[in-house]
Amino acid sequence: MKITICDAERPGTTRSWLARLPILGSATMTVLITVWGASPGVGKSTLCDGLSQWLADMGQRVNHFREEEILTRPQFAVVAEEFKATGTVALGTLIAATAKFVDAVMARGDDVVIADALMPFVPTLLAMGHGEETIDAFMTELTEVLAPVRPVMVFLDGNAESALSRAATREGEHWLEWYVGKLASYQVSPPVADVASAVKYLQRERALTLGAVRRKDWGLVVIQRADELPPGEVLRVAQQGLRPWLGRTATHG
């Protein structure tokens, strides 16, 4: 198993804006670790729990934003209200909510934010029918808003079909039908009607998410074949991959 950190994403390279920022441990720079994956069932939430515990055990102030908290975090209240009322969310609403969240993080003095399937909102934008140009423009604005918290994505790569099967085993016999139906109700491309088309859509979602993050020079750690690893091994390789961005925070892990 290996971790992929591309040269353009490595701290200290010419292209990376990370090179201009202080390292956590030598300054008060907050790090936002946003965890995504190739499919439900690939282990995002389990990894978020493990990273949160690891960093808390080292004395770091960790703000763990769980996936389901998008509807209850006060900074995202307007997002939840708008979605419930209209079934969609304006891009400006997402940006404004994220700015409020960053302000709250800075006010609390958090060292690390662990965000489970939150930013950069690419699946949400795809579900609302937005194309690649709109997503790229949105990412430009989002990256500016997130600059104070230095975003780093951990992407759990793997086989979407097998990950969906694992999620279905975990969630129950009707989960996969529900998930396919949810995707089918959205304006996604390619359209979803069954498991095979859901896998094709997830492959596009993966490509657009990774492409958007790379173009905006976020930190990026890709853990290959994560769906084939036990949770403890996924956590170990994630810790190793995150060390360049966490600086001295992670040296005792």
Side-chain angles (χ1 to χ4, degrees):
M1 175 52 50
K2 66 179 181 179
I3 304 166
T4 300
I5 306 179
C6 297
D7 287 343
E9 297 142 8
R10 192 184 303 275
T13 57
T14 301
R15 282 187 56 203
S16 179
W17 59 269
L18 295 172
R20 302 194 298 271
L21 298 176
I23 296 298
L24 183 63
S26 62
T28 59
M29 187 73 188
T30 301
V31 175
L32 166 67
I33 301 172
T34 181
V35 179
W36 277 96
S39 168
V42 79
K44 298 185 301 297
S45 297
T46 300
L47 176 59
C48 286
D49 288 339
L51 289 174
S52 296
Q53 187 62 56
W54 170 57
L55 290 163
D57 287 347
M58 288 189 290
Q60 298 302 301
R61 184 166 184 171
V62 180
N63 185 342
H64 185 180
F65 196 130
R66 293 172 172 82
E67 185 173 6
E68 64 272 13
E69 291 178 6
I70 187 68
L71 298 178
T72 58
R73 286 270 182 151
Q75 297 84 20
F76 286 85
V78 175
V79 172
E81 292 171 4
E82 196 169 304
F83 179 76
K84 289 177 182 177
T86 68
T88 188
V89 180
L91 301 187
T93 303
L94 284 174
I95 291 293
T98 303
K100 289 181 181 179
F101 178 68
V102 169
D103 287 344
V105 166
M106 302 305 291
R108 279 168 47 102
D110 295 321
D111 296 310
V112 184
V113 178
I114 306 291
D116 181 354
L118 185 63
M119 288 157 268
F121 306 110
V122 171
T124 299
L125 302 182
L126 289 173
M128 293 190 297
H130 294 297
E132 295 182 34
E133 289 186 6
T134 300
I135 291 173
D136 190 72
F138 175 85
M139 279 292 294
T140 297
E141 191 169 0
L142 180 68
T143 299
E144 293 175 358
V145 168
L146 292 177
V149 293
R150 189 169 49 176
V152 180
M153 173 179 283
V154 177
F155 192 90
L156 303 184
D157 215 351
N159 184 288
E161 187 172 3
S162 62
L164 283 176
S165 178
R166 186 164 71 175
T169 299
R170 181 190 65 206
E171 301 294 338
E173 59 177 320
H174 298 297
W175 179 86
L176 190 54
E177 180 181 355
W178 167 82
Y179 179 73
V180 170
K182 182 181 75 168
L183 290 182
S185 70
Y186 294 154
Q187 305 174 50
V188 297
S189 177
V192 173
D194 52 22
V195 174
S197 54
V199 169
K200 289 182 179 179
Y201 164 72
L202 288 170
Q203 290 169 345
R204 178 173 185 249
E205 180 184 284
R206 169 194 178 276
L208 287 178
T209 300
L210 291 175
V213 167
R214 285 171 172 142
R215 283 194 301 275
K216 304 309 173 186
D217 287 335
W218 289 28
L220 178 61
V221 177
V222 179
I223 303 179
Q224 300 176 354
R225 300 171 66 183
D227 56 314
E228 301 177 15
L229 294 176
E233 180 66 6
V234 172
L235 175 60
R236 185 190 70 79
V237 294
Q239 290 168 338
Q240 179 184 345
L242 286 168
R243 289 179 192 278
W245 287 279
L246 294 173
R248 288 205 296 267
T249 297
T251 57
H252 305 295

